[in-house]
Amino acid sequence: MSDSVENLLYVERTKGYRMKIFTTEITDVIRHIAECLRCKGVMRDPCIITDTDRSIYHRPPKKPDVICFSCKRKEEKHLLTDNVKRGIAILDVKCPLEERGCEWEGKLSGIEGHMESCGEFQLKCPQLCDLVTKRSKMEDHTTNHCLMRVVKCEHCKVELRFKDLEHHFTICPKYPLKCECGENHKRKDIEMHKRDYCQETLIECEYKFHGCNVRFKRGLKEKHGKENQIKHMDLKFQTLEKAMRKLESRNDTLAEKNEQLATEVQQVENNNRRMETKMQDLT
């Protein structure tokens, strides 16, 4: 649990200072002069429950009720005693965290300022990781160790929590991935590298259309071409021969169709002449 200034310094949240923060040499003086009769702490905003203006340092035979202003009941009349307040403010005190190792000593007027910088003061991490640690260690924690600290991805520069960084690396578009060829490429570029450039990627022979169905690594393309140059030429020649035979077959088919069309045209012309003859005979 983190520390609270109120719990360390005050008897209750709005009441007097705790006796333990004052140095032992003046404890008796404190009890005699500055102790609140109700909360038993050293008075904050001391006041006298009385109808007359009497100084606490010049005690009458009967001690007046001197208490913290916050200990006063609503119906009670009071008189604030600024002179007592000034006297209390210069009392010597020590840090309430002395047992943890804080060696600070000073005047009561400076203790609240000290508590804002005390290295032994326990703080809860401001980045919501639930860790509680000394103020002196908090900067190192929030900068170097906190799982909730905001960091930048070194690859894509996006800001995110440190706890999410490992997962982010699995989807970061600029995270470097190692290809089978040994080269590193950004995640967004790795597929293009494998498809178009990687020397370890299996590719098909450029003569596949002609019948070479061998697959090999891109880095062996030149070697495959040299070793199979004659085979490739032969396959290419066979492809050309097949194409020529298809063309010849198509030409033969077209010639037959032309002959058929010519015959049909001749028949139409003959029919036309016969019809013309009949028409002449009728007239």
Side-chain angles (χ1 to χ4, degrees):
M1 180 181 294
S2 59
D3 288 325
S4 164
V5 172
E6 288 80 6
N7 291 338
L8 290 171
L9 295 185
Y10 312 133
V11 176
E12 294 179 21
R13 183 176 176 81
T14 59
K15 305 257 175 119
Y17 295 102
R18 294 183 182 276
M19 283 289 181
K20 70 176 185 178
I21 69 172
F22 294 86
T23 54
T24 54
E25 290 79 1
I26 61 171
T27 298
D28 292 338
V29 177
I30 294 171
R31 292 187 183 280
H32 180 67
I33 296 177
E35 183 180 48
C36 174
L37 296 179
R38 291 181 181 170
C39 72
K40 301 304 179 181
V42 174
M43 291 178 286
R44 299 170 63 196
D45 297 322
C47 66
I48 301 174
I49 305 303
T50 180
D51 293 330
T52 60
D53 185 5
R54 294 178 296 182
S55 170
I56 192 74
Y57 288 113
H58 300 85
R59 294 185 178 279
K62 183 179 179 182
K63 182 180 177 182
D65 290 338
V66 185
I67 61 175
C68 301
F69 179 75
S70 57
C71 292
K72 182 185 73 66
R73 301 184 184 96
K74 289 183 179 181
E75 69 275 7
E76 291 178 328
K77 295 182 179 180
H78 69 280
L79 178 68
L80 292 175
T81 57
D82 290 339
N83 58 334
V84 176
K85 185 175 182 179
R86 287 192 294 270
I88 292 174
I90 63 173
L91 292 176
D92 293 324
V93 294
K94 58 188 177 182
C95 178
L97 300 176
E98 178 188 33
E99 293 179 356
R100 297 184 192 170
C102 181
E103 299 178 353
W104 181 88
E105 291 185 356
K107 301 297 182 183
L108 179 62
S109 58
I111 194 167
E112 292 184 0
H114 164 70
M115 296 309 295
E116 293 179 0
S117 61
C118 178
E120 297 299 320
F121 194 84
Q122 296 273 8
L123 295 172
K124 190 173 181 179
C125 176
Q127 298 176 148
L128 307 178
C129 76
D130 295 331
L131 179 92
V132 175
T133 189
K134 297 178 181 180
R135 179 182 278 116
S136 59
K137 295 182 178 180
M138 185 57 72
E139 182 177 358
D140 178 59
H141 165 72
T142 56
T143 304
N144 302 313
H145 305 291
C146 180
L147 296 179
M148 296 296 288
R149 69 186 188 274
V150 176
V151 296
K152 271 188 178 182
C153 172
E154 61 184 300
H155 308 293
C156 68
K157 308 306 178 186
V158 69
E159 292 188 347
L160 66 162
R161 299 285 186 184
F162 181 81
K163 69 180 182 66
D164 299 323
L165 191 59
E166 186 174 352
H167 171 69
H168 171 73
F169 284 157
T170 65
I171 59 175
C172 175
K174 295 186 178 181
Y175 187 82
L177 298 177
K178 192 169 186 177
C179 180
E180 295 176 356
C181 66
E183 296 181 5
N184 289 328
H185 292 275
K186 297 175 183 178
R187 177 177 277 111
K188 67 183 183 68
D189 298 330
I190 193 71
E191 290 302 321
M192 180 181 68
H193 163 73
K194 289 181 177 180
R195 183 184 68 240
D196 299 332
Y197 304 104
C198 179
Q199 300 300 298
E200 293 295 315
T201 299
L202 289 176
I203 61 173
E204 295 176 338
C205 177
E206 59 185 328
Y207 285 88
K208 180 181 180 180
F209 174 77
H210 302 295
C212 183
N213 296 315
V214 178
R215 288 169 58 86
F216 47 84
K217 293 180 179 180
R218 181 178 278 111
L220 300 175
K221 179 180 178 180
E222 185 176 352
K223 180 181 178 182
H224 172 77
K226 288 181 179 179
E227 292 178 348
N228 296 275
Q229 188 173 7
I230 296 175
K231 177 183 176 182
H232 288 161
M233 292 299 102
D234 185 49
L235 289 172
K236 190 173 183 180
F237 181 74
Q238 292 177 21
T239 302
L240 290 172
E241 281 188 330
K242 290 178 183 178
M244 290 296 294
R245 284 196 294 271
K246 285 183 180 180
L247 286 173
E248 290 174 356
S249 175
R250 186 175 298 174
N251 287 337
D252 292 341
T253 302
L254 289 174
E256 291 176 0
K257 287 184 177 181
N258 284 336
E259 289 178 0
Q260 291 176 0
L261 287 173
T263 301
E264 291 175 359
V265 169
Q266 187 64 45
Q267 290 175 352
V268 170
E269 289 177 351
N270 292 337
N271 289 334
N272 287 338
R273 283 195 293 270
R274 283 196 295 271
M275 291 295 293
E276 288 176 358
T277 302
K278 288 181 179 181
M279 291 294 293
Q280 289 174 358
D281 293 342
L282 290 172
T283 58

